[in-house]
Amino acid sequence: MANLKAIRKRIQGVAGTQQLTRAMKLVAAAKLRRAQESALAQRPYAEALGKIIGHLGNRLEEGAHPLLAKRPMKKALLLLYSSDRGLCGAFNLNICRAGEQFIQGQADDGVEVAVAAIGKKGFEFMQGREYPVVHNYQDLFADITFDSISRIGNELAAEYVKGDYDGLFVLYNQFKSPAVQRVTLQQVLPVSLEDTDADDNLVEHLFEPSKEELLDAVFPMYVNLQLFQALLESVASEMGARMTAMDNATNNAADLIKRLTLIYNKARQETITRELMDIVGGAEALS
Amino acid sequence: MKLQVVTPKEREVDLDVDSVTLPGSLGEMTILPGHTALVSNLDVGVLAYEVNGTTTLVAISCGFVEVLDDQVTVLSETCEEKNEIDVERAQRAYGRAQERMAKAVSDDRIDVARAEYARRRALARLLVTGKHN
């Protein structure tokens, strides 16, 4: 009997967990949709900014702006996008391992890498392995605004101009589908003009107040936009990963419940049979 | 003439207009159809566009504008229409910013540029709602 009771309790426990994972899956799905929408919504802005840079930027010299300045790479900064929360499969582990590989790869080339972490998980991983973490950005995810990422971008750009490091890399999970994320490394600083669509046969633009002042405003914005895009991709990936992980957990719980119910029923049947045998045996002994 | 206002969050405005008035960093400017190609910085302030004699105001923060072939593209960090603005909050922000600016004369811990930015931003919001006196 004690065995029966224990199995029943176990089934109830698993059912409770299943309810939880199912709820988390639904929440992640809703958040994923929102993240996908904002990733789509910033595209017109990115395109418009790319066009302006194209118009400003063709035939630009490297010395035209401090953020374009290429220096021999001695120190690099890695901006690592992870999440604040767990229960999202291998999402954080994948990105942290890729970060570690990058740091070691650069170290082999004689480049020192410092880490700036977005999200608690990446921070804990990097600090736990005693890599130098110079920035730790948390609480970004509750309310994702361009403003909060600009603050980070401006800080990092200022450090680049000051010469604290010679290159800024971002490492984030690119969203492919809810089940697939691809770890992506991208160099943000110095700004490279190769991927903007420069067009040579253009109408000559009027620049107000002046080309130089416009560049001063456009490039930081371009950097911030790239950081923002990476953040949106990372958040969508996180939600996708969590949704998939929680879906698997819910299915596993269903399997487990099925198996336990089978065991429970068998055990119950056995008890009944044994009791019947006892009664029959007792009746025979009496007659 | 087509007007587009885009922010990193969404495409806020996308329509045909007769004229656009923008808070350029060198001063206010009005763009009419046939304007020459132009790229300019924008200050925080009020953007006004006119369609069939009706003028609509929106509050924008720093950004850029590009004019090319009767297509005006405004890039701004934010873009708020009248019904999106919390008047009381803007009024409080305006009062606070003015206080800080007044205090800044004697207290150099205050970031004047930031206070001024906050003041202009609040002012733009109030102008859009028509609640500024």
Side-chain angles (χ1 to χ4, degrees):
Chain A
M1 278 309 268
N3 190 23
L4 268 183
K5 200 173 167 193
I7 297 173
R8 205 161 53 222
K9 265 213 135 139
R10 181 89 201 281
I11 293 178
Q12 276 166 4
V14 175
T17 309
Q18 188 190 27
Q19 224 165 31
L20 201 90
T21 55
R22 190 182 292 137
M24 284 186 74
K25 179 189 138 192
L26 291 177
V27 171
K31 284 191 176 163
L32 170 63
R33 203 166 49 239
R34 229 178 309 149
Q36 274 178 303
E37 273 163 18
S38 31
L40 278 181
Q42 58 81 38
R43 229 166 255 174
Y45 185 88
E47 274 166 23
L49 191 63
K51 248 200 297 191
I52 291 188
I53 290 186
H55 296 162
L56 280 167
N58 64 36
R59 296 185 294 267
L60 261 190
E61 308 280 308
E62 251 178 51
H65 193 269
L67 292 181
L68 288 171
K70 276 202 189 83
R71 297 190 286 259
M73 187 81 74
K74 285 201 197 89
K75 278 194 206 161
L77 187 70
L78 178 70
L79 185 59
L80 183 77
Y81 289 77
S82 64
S83 72
D84 277 351
R85 296 193 185 152
L87 286 181
C88 44
F91 174 84
N92 284 311
L93 192 62
N94 284 345
I95 202 79
C96 290
R97 284 223 179 109
E100 193 171 27
Q101 261 172 24
F102 174 78
I103 295 173
Q104 284 163 358
Q106 293 289 317
D108 291 343
D109 296 340
V111 180
E112 229 178 282
V113 182
V115 179
I118 288 182
K120 202 168 105 197
K121 296 286 171 184
F123 172 71
E124 282 167 358
F125 180 95
M126 287 299 166
Q127 214 187 30
R129 290 177 195 223
E130 293 175 350
Y131 292 113
V133 181
V134 288
H135 293 292
N136 173 22
Y137 302 110
Q138 285 181 25
D139 299 324
L140 276 172
F141 300 104
D143 182 23
I144 296 166
T145 60
F146 191 72
D147 210 39
S148 47
I149 207 85
S150 316
R151 234 169 283 150
I152 296 176
N154 293 342
E155 188 180 7
L156 298 183
E159 286 177 0
Y160 178 81
V161 172
K162 223 167 49 183
D164 287 354
Y165 55 89
D166 312 305
L168 172 63
F169 295 85
V170 293
L171 188 65
Y172 63 98
N173 274 293
Q174 196 182 25
F175 181 83
K176 287 282 158 198
S177 77
V180 181
Q181 301 90 36
R182 204 169 64 197
V183 172
T184 308
L185 180 76
Q186 199 181 321
Q187 182 166 9
V188 174
L189 287 174
V191 172
S192 132
L193 291 172
E194 274 159 32
D195 33 330
T196 55
D197 37 348
D199 189 351
D200 275 329
N201 4 309
L202 257 186
V203 207
E204 197 51 39
H205 279 66
L206 274 178
F207 294 114
E208 262 184 43
S210 67
K211 202 165 174 170
E212 288 66 38
E213 278 176 78
L214 270 170
L215 289 177
D216 268 347
V218 168
F219 281 127
M221 188 61 96
Y222 185 59
V223 170
N224 293 347
L225 186 70
Q226 281 180 306
L227 301 188
F228 187 60
Q229 279 174 324
L231 181 69
L232 291 177
E233 289 277 350
S234 173
V235 169
S237 299
E238 178 197 341
M239 293 309 159
R242 177 163 301 124
M243 200 177 103
T244 317
M246 288 301 111
D247 191 41
N248 286 340
T250 309
N251 291 341
N252 288 346
D255 287 350
L256 196 56
I257 289 176
K258 223 166 156 188
R259 235 179 43 226
L260 285 172
T261 313
L262 200 69
I263 295 172
Y264 175 77
N265 284 339
K266 262 193 194 153
R268 194 176 54 121
Q269 197 66 57
E270 260 166 36
T271 327
I272 293 171
T273 316
R274 205 164 39 236
E275 274 172 9
L276 269 177
M277 295 281 276
D278 280 353
I279 294 168
V280 172
E284 269 174 4
L286 280 179
S287 61
Chain B
M1 186 168 71
K2 273 189 84 66
L3 170 69
Q4 271 193 20
V5 182
V6 292
T7 70
K9 283 262 165 187
E10 60 203 310
R11 191 195 310 260
E12 295 268 358
V13 180
D14 187 3
L15 56 139
D16 279 312
V17 297
D18 300 324
S19 80
V20 194
T21 304
L22 297 158
S25 57
L26 293 182
E28 198 168 77
M29 58 179 162
T30 299
I31 314 276
L32 293 166
H35 198 284
T36 178
L38 163 86
V39 178
S40 171
N41 270 353
L42 294 180
D43 256 350
V44 54
V46 178
L47 178 152
Y49 57 87
E50 200 184 303
V51 188
N52 297 330
T54 351
T55 308
T56 313
L57 305 178
V58 291
I60 60 169
S61 51
C62 300
F64 320 97
V65 61
E66 181 183 42
V67 184
L68 186 66
D69 297 335
D70 275 351
Q71 160 81 48
V72 181
T73 313
V74 175
L75 291 89
S76 169
E77 278 189 43
T78 59
C79 168
E80 291 161 311
E81 283 171 51
K82 195 174 172 179
N83 54 20
E84 293 171 283
I85 293 171
D86 182 342
V87 178
E88 270 173 39
R89 203 179 133 202
Q91 266 162 348
R92 277 202 307 275
Y94 186 70
R96 207 165 46 230
Q98 268 194 324
E99 251 170 55
R100 287 182 73 82
M101 303 256 317
K103 258 194 251 162
V105 184
S106 53
D107 186 348
D108 48 291
R109 277 171 309 171
I110 291 175
D111 186 342
V112 186
R114 233 181 92 187
E116 168 68 6
Y117 180 75
R119 190 187 70 83
R120 293 218 311 256
R121 195 165 169 164
L123 179 63
R125 286 188 175 133
L126 291 174
L127 286 172
V128 167
T129 51
K131 291 283 162 61
H132 182 67
N133 32 33

